[in-house]
Amino acid sequence: MTRQRLTLLTPLALLGLLAGLVDLSPDSAREDEDYYMQELLTREHFNQFQVQEKPVASIPDRHEPPSPKPAKKGTKGKADSNRQTDKTTADAKSVKTANKKAEKTKKGPLKTPNSISEGEGQYNSIKEECPPMGLETLKIDDFQLHASSTKRYGLGAHRGRLNIQAGIYEDDLYDGAWCAGRDDPLQWFEVDARRLTKFTGVITQGRSSLWSSDWVTSYKVMVSNDSHTWITLKNGSEDMIFVGNREKEIPVRNIFPVPVLARYIRVNPRAWFRIGNICMRVEILGCPMPDPNNYYHRRNEVITTDDLDFRHHSYKEMRQLMKVVNEMCPNVTRIYNIGKSHSGLKLYAIEISDNPGEHEVGEPEFRYTAGSHGNEVLGRELLLLLMQFMCLEYLSGNERIRHLVEETRIHLLPSVNPDGYEKAFEVGSELSGWSLGRWSNDGIDIHHNFPDLNSILWEAEAKKWIPRKMFNHHVPTPEWYLSKNASVAVETRALIAWMEKLPFVLGGNIQGGELVVTFPYDKTRSHGVGREQTPTPDDHSFRWLAFSYASTHRLMTAANQRVCHTEDFAKEDGTINGASWHTAAGSMNDFSYLHTNCFELSMYVGCDKFPHESELPEEWENNRESLLVFMEQVHRGIKGVVRDLQGRGIANATISVEGISHDIRTASDGDYWRLLNPGEYRVTARAEGYSLSSKKCEVGYEMGATTCNFIIGRTNLSRIKEIMEKFNKQPIRLPVRQLQARRSRESRVETQ
């Protein structure tokens, strides 16, 4: 068996002897205190330096004629250096977009040594790129990762995954890389593909750490079929040395000049940052070879039957796809925009409803948003897939989808931050790192750019102003936030206007980088505390809503699911109170709950923020049922209309539930929706100038909100005011005693 495998390895490995090395980055660094800011500061410097860097070796292109003669001293070296620098810079900047990256190579079948023509010479290279094997997405499990030595458990081989993040503190179980136990050239990091694989490249990062600066500046690559006999990729007669990282956050990709067929692959660090240690985060590019009898492949294989457009879409392609969906289902869809981004790109949304463009009395409004962090791309693609799916299923007569469309007004906003997305999209899924494109063009984190209404409400509660001076709901936006000089992104202002305009009942914002659903509050109530449980008055309802998504996701509640970074959310059923994870003032979730009627949650739908296109079908299968189930929760609780004695709907009437110190208000037609868990509740409706009305409303376990209508009449005082205003007379607002005294004085004057 071993001899057979080595026979497969040898022809392609021999081609490695003809290959040259790929230079991607020099080794300089700067200290930082924040990952995100460090990457923004160093990426531009990285790309500028890249153009000036002289490569270690120069490999003529396949179509480049051989140099006829040695040039004069200094001339040939300069020409070769310029030619190789152009080639290197193209790799380092990863000019290919995510779309182009996923396309299969069009260079034809792989050549064997015997098929190379005589004229091609020994410097020919056959560059081919496969998708990531899945270290970042966890498709490669911990048992497939090995290392020569380990500094400690928290820096073991299982932590050597691209973009893995460390905890705030060092020396814990969840550190930010694999670090060798000794700093010498004998160390290695190994991946067992568990099947014959065509390896085409390696991507590396340094250690994720606030306090340490560790990265590998050069390395060798070795392959094997039995993990005992190893063959090093060669540059002629010498071992090929790949140039690695020059700082710890920006990923560097090296594509092998020749694909190599094997089962095991090792990265062998040769040099590292001079005041650091051997530490790496790695992704391997490889294509598994067909093997229907392979147990591991069958066990992990996820196949979708949905015929959808599984690829990453640029802004223009996203807009075109939405237009195609609208043309396919013109009677139940409508495209509109809620505003523009900082660079002028329109924020497009699509409405899915049986009467698009119209709010129907008694029909709740639901929203999904994605891409507030532009580099968290999976949510954007999931919403584009969801709108395709719902259109196709509606046309095919799927009863579940038809019921959703006919009974709900659904809004999908796939890209809140298109400017940030375009930055990440241009670089590509593997090279965008952890933060490129996260912020808006003016450097603002849109998801946490909303006014901090929590502090306003909690201060009012402490001063006992509620409900005498202030309501426990619809907390007004402070004046300073509305000023033109406030640090508010134009995207945030557009979102707020949208949230205030439509009577949303339930919403979810889709994010990435973790596997968990978070619910309000996101800010801790105790000052100076970084994380503590901070529940809302509707905590039980929020927990149910979060669990409805997490429990139907394929991975969030799986007992064998590995931790993405540092938190084991599976122990909490894949859900967590936002403030007990990490405090964040001014979140979209808290603002939505305190300023509008809408209950908003965040869905972190994958460890990989920007998965490769090849991963999209599986990610769709992971999230499809969850996306639908969560939408259906908008029909849980009570609903109804508050009318006056003439049957007219009353806008802005207050709906209170006994025992829950958070009220909601009716929409412009007097209709309302109040999300509640199953149970019996005493509900009160009141409005200014009307008498209040209370009744018991029971919420069952079956899907569908319980109808609870109210009819309230005008108070005597409001009727008097109405009559007097009708005849252009101001109502008398004097107290009774003053009114009696005034009448007494007038009667005495008349007597005299």
Side-chain angles (χ1 to χ4, degrees):
M1 186 67 176
T2 301
R3 182 174 298 174
Q4 265 185 333
R5 286 179 175 170
L6 287 174
T7 302
L8 288 168
L9 169 68
T10 304
L12 290 172
L14 287 174
L15 281 178
L17 301 176
L18 309 177
L21 63 89
V22 180
D23 180 17
L24 286 176
S25 63
D27 47 350
S28 63
R30 62 180 72 183
E31 288 294 324
D32 70 293
E33 295 183 357
D34 183 86
Y35 298 152
Y36 296 150
M37 292 310 298
Q38 181 212 26
E39 183 166 344
L40 285 178
L41 292 170
T42 60
R43 187 176 288 272
E44 183 177 358
H45 172 72
F46 177 90
N47 290 334
Q48 290 173 350
F49 196 101
Q50 189 67 37
V51 179
Q52 304 166 2
E53 171 83 353
K54 181 178 179 181
V56 179
S58 178
I59 309 168
D61 188 74
R62 166 181 291 280
H63 303 295
E64 183 183 349
S67 180
K69 290 181 184 178
K72 293 180 181 179
K73 186 176 181 181
T75 306
K76 182 179 185 300
K78 184 176 180 180
D80 284 350
S81 176
N82 289 340
R83 182 166 60 249
Q84 182 64 15
T85 300
D86 291 342
K87 189 175 179 181
T88 301
T89 305
D91 276 347
K93 290 187 177 180
S94 181
V95 178
K96 292 183 180 180
T97 63
N99 278 351
K100 293 178 182 177
K101 278 175 52 180
E103 292 179 2
K104 295 184 178 179
T105 179
K106 299 179 181 179
K107 293 185 178 180
L110 192 62
K111 291 187 177 182
T112 63
N114 294 332
S115 66
I116 298 177
S117 65
E118 215 178 323
E120 287 181 319
Q122 66 170 355
Y123 290 111
N124 291 321
S125 63
I126 306 172
K127 287 206 172 185
E128 194 173 344
E129 186 178 349
C130 286
M133 292 183 61
L135 275 76
E136 184 176 6
T137 60
L138 306 184
K139 290 182 73 173
I140 298 294
D141 63 42
D142 290 350
F143 297 105
Q144 294 176 256
L145 305 178
H146 310 280
S148 54
S149 63
T150 297
K151 182 169 288 189
R152 61 175 181 272
Y153 178 79
L155 293 168
H158 64 292
R159 302 294 295 176
R161 300 172 181 272
L162 190 72
N163 285 323
I164 202 166
Q165 300 297 295
I168 297 176
Y169 306 104
E170 302 284 321
D171 302 326
D172 60 14
L173 295 177
Y174 302 107
D175 226 315
W178 161 69
C179 290
R182 300 180 300 277
D183 293 329
D184 62 53
L186 300 177
Q187 306 305 308
W188 46 261
F189 177 84
E190 179 185 310
V191 178
D192 174 8
R194 286 181 172 165
R195 62 185 298 183
L196 205 60
T197 301
K198 180 169 66 178
F199 298 114
T200 63
V202 174
I203 303 172
T204 59
Q205 278 175 311
R207 177 181 174 185
S208 168
S209 172
L210 287 171
W211 322 108
S212 303
S213 296
D214 304 310
W215 59 86
V216 170
T217 58
S218 66
Y219 58 89
K220 295 180 182 179
V221 174
M222 300 178 286
V223 291
S224 172
N225 271 331
D226 58 5
S227 77
H228 298 294
T229 304
W230 292 89
I231 295 178
T232 304
L233 271 63
K234 298 285 186 179
N235 174 27
S237 60
E238 298 179 355
D239 291 348
M240 187 182 298
I241 305 294
F242 294 93
V243 178
N245 301 81
R246 87 158 76 99
E247 56 82 61
K248 56 190 175 185
E249 287 300 325
I250 300 176
V252 170
R253 179 181 60 188
N254 281 304
I255 303 300
F256 303 157
V258 178
V260 182
L261 201 62
R263 170 175 169 174
Y264 302 89
I265 185 169
R266 278 183 181 177
V267 178
N268 169 219
R270 307 300 297 175
W272 45 94
F273 182 47
R274 61 185 181 277
I275 59 173
N277 303 110
I278 295 178
C279 295
M280 300 183 78
R281 290 178 285 169
V282 178
E283 181 63 84
I284 304 295
L285 304 178
C287 300
M289 303 307 291
D291 185 2
N293 297 320
N294 188 291
Y295 164 73
Y296 295 106
H297 175 67
R298 295 199 320 272
R299 185 185 66 174
N300 296 320
E301 190 174 24
V302 176
I303 299 175
T304 183
T305 58
D306 297 325
D307 185 16
L308 307 175
D309 188 13
F310 292 106
R311 63 189 178 95
H312 289 299
H313 298 79
S314 67
Y315 177 80
K316 183 178 180 180
E317 291 166 339
M318 176 193 76
R319 186 178 58 188
Q320 183 61 32
L321 177 61
M322 296 173 75
K323 184 178 179 182
V324 169
V325 172
N326 177 239
E327 290 172 350
M328 288 176 60
C329 299
N331 296 328
V332 293
T333 62
R334 177 179 69 99
I335 299 174
Y336 65 100
N337 74 81
I338 68 167
K340 292 184 178 180
S341 70
H342 185 271
S343 68
L345 298 178
K346 291 182 179 179
L347 307 181
Y348 284 108
I350 192 166
E351 175 190 341
I352 304 176
S353 171
D354 58 345
N355 286 297
E358 178 184 343
H359 171 72
E360 298 180 69
V361 176
E363 186 170 284
E365 307 226 9
F366 175 92
R367 69 169 180 254
Y368 269 133
T369 60
S372 57
H373 298 146
N375 63 327
E376 295 172 8
V377 176
L378 180 54
R380 168 192 176 109
E381 296 304 328
L382 286 176
L383 292 192
L384 293 177
L385 291 168
L386 179 63
M387 63 180 71
Q388 296 174 63
F389 176 80
M390 294 192 70
C391 173
L392 291 172
E393 293 299 306
Y394 182 86
L395 293 176
S396 67
N398 184 318
E399 290 186 8
R400 181 187 188 187
I401 301 301
R402 279 187 167 270
H403 182 268
L404 259 177
V405 172
E406 292 167 1
E407 300 298 327
T408 320
R409 192 181 183 199
I410 301 165
H411 303 260
L412 306 180
L413 177 60
S415 190
V416 173
N417 181 9
D419 296 345
Y421 172 80
E422 290 300 305
K423 292 178 184 177
F425 180 78
E426 181 182 0
V427 175
S429 62
E430 278 67 65
L431 300 183
S432 59
W434 190 248
S435 61
L436 179 65
R438 175 183 175 89
W439 298 279
S440 65
N441 260 11
D442 47 351
I444 294 176
D445 184 335
I446 296 173
H447 184 69
H448 298 106
N449 188 221
F450 293 82
D452 177 14
L453 303 184
N454 305 57
S455 299
I456 297 174
L457 176 67
W458 294 337
E459 182 181 1
E461 289 178 344
K463 294 179 178 180
K464 302 186 184 303
W465 285 355
I466 296 176
R468 184 169 48 89
K469 290 186 178 181
M470 182 175 159
F471 297 115
N472 63 12
H473 63 288
H474 284 243
V475 180
T477 302
E479 290 185 9
W480 66 264
Y481 185 89
L482 300 174
S483 69
K484 292 182 179 180
N485 296 328
S487 297
V488 183
V490 292
E491 295 90 345
T492 312
R493 294 191 189 276
L495 281 173
I496 292 176
W498 186 49
M499 295 162 73
E500 292 176 338
K501 180 180 179 181
L502 298 175
F504 290 114
V505 179
L506 179 61
N509 54 83
I510 305 179
Q511 304 193 44
E514 267 295 354
L515 275 173
V516 67
V517 180
T518 69
F519 52 89
Y521 289 122
D522 288 333
K523 180 183 177 181
T524 56
R525 187 156 187 162
S526 302
H527 291 290
V529 178
R531 51 195 298 175
E532 71 173 1
Q533 194 78 225
T534 309
T536 66
D538 285 286
D539 189 57
H540 293 297
S541 295
F542 272 116
R543 289 182 180 276
W544 168 259
L545 293 169
F547 185 70
S548 71
Y549 193 100
S551 62
T552 49
H553 190 279
R554 284 188 63 252
L555 301 177
M556 281 189 188
T557 56
N560 60 347
Q561 176 61 29
R562 184 197 180 281
V563 172
C564 285
H565 300 285
T566 62
E567 302 280 350
D568 187 3
F569 295 113
K571 294 190 300 186
E572 303 294 331
D573 292 324
T575 68
I576 192 170
N577 171 252
S580 66
W581 182 12
H582 54 75
T583 186
S587 74
M588 183 176 180
N589 296 354
D590 288 3
F591 175 82
S592 180
Y593 180 69
L594 294 176
H595 188 68
T596 73
N597 290 341
C598 185
F599 286 26
E600 182 92 10
L601 293 83
S602 294
M603 292 80 177
Y604 293 79
V605 292
C607 300
D608 189 350
K609 291 182 176 182
F610 195 159
H612 191 272
E613 281 186 355
S614 59
E615 301 291 336
L616 292 179
E618 182 170 346
E619 293 294 354
W620 168 245
E621 288 297 316
N622 289 344
N623 289 276
R624 180 184 58 194
E625 182 63 18
S626 301
L627 291 166
L628 296 175
V629 167
F630 186 75
M631 276 196 288
E632 291 170 337
Q633 303 312 305
V634 76
H635 296 284
R636 181 174 295 277
I638 59 174
K639 67 177 182 179
V641 182
V642 180
R643 295 186 174 91
D644 61 15
L645 296 176
Q646 286 72 41
R648 296 170 297 193
I650 302 173
N652 287 320
T654 301
I655 304 296
S656 305
V657 178
E658 188 177 273
I660 301 177
S661 57
H662 180 81
D663 303 336
I664 63 163
R665 294 185 186 178
T666 58
S668 57
D669 296 313
D671 48 347
Y672 78 91
W673 306 263
R674 182 59 164 95
L675 296 175
L676 293 167
N677 284 348
E680 190 177 89
Y681 302 90
R682 175 162 289 279
V683 183
T684 301
R686 59 169 61 86
E688 186 177 358
Y690 292 85
S691 57
L692 60 83
S693 174
S694 297
K695 63 170 62 175
K696 283 188 177 181
C697 304
E698 186 174 346
V699 179
Y701 287 91
E702 65 280 356
M703 187 57 66
T706 301
T707 300
C708 236
N709 295 319
F710 292 90
I711 297 177
I712 53 179
R714 303 294 296 272
T715 60
N716 291 334
L717 180 60
S718 67
R719 271 188 270 175
I720 293 172
K721 289 180 180 179
E722 184 179 353
I723 293 171
M724 295 186 73
E725 289 173 358
K726 185 176 180 180
F727 293 98
N728 297 321
K729 293 183 179 180
Q730 296 297 322
I732 298 172
R733 293 188 176 87
L734 293 175
V736 175
R737 290 182 180 178
Q738 292 183 20
L739 184 61
Q740 290 175 344
R742 181 176 176 178
R743 288 175 177 173
S744 177
R745 288 195 300 271
E746 290 175 350
S747 63
R748 285 199 298 271
V749 170
E750 290 175 358
T751 303
Q752 293 174 356

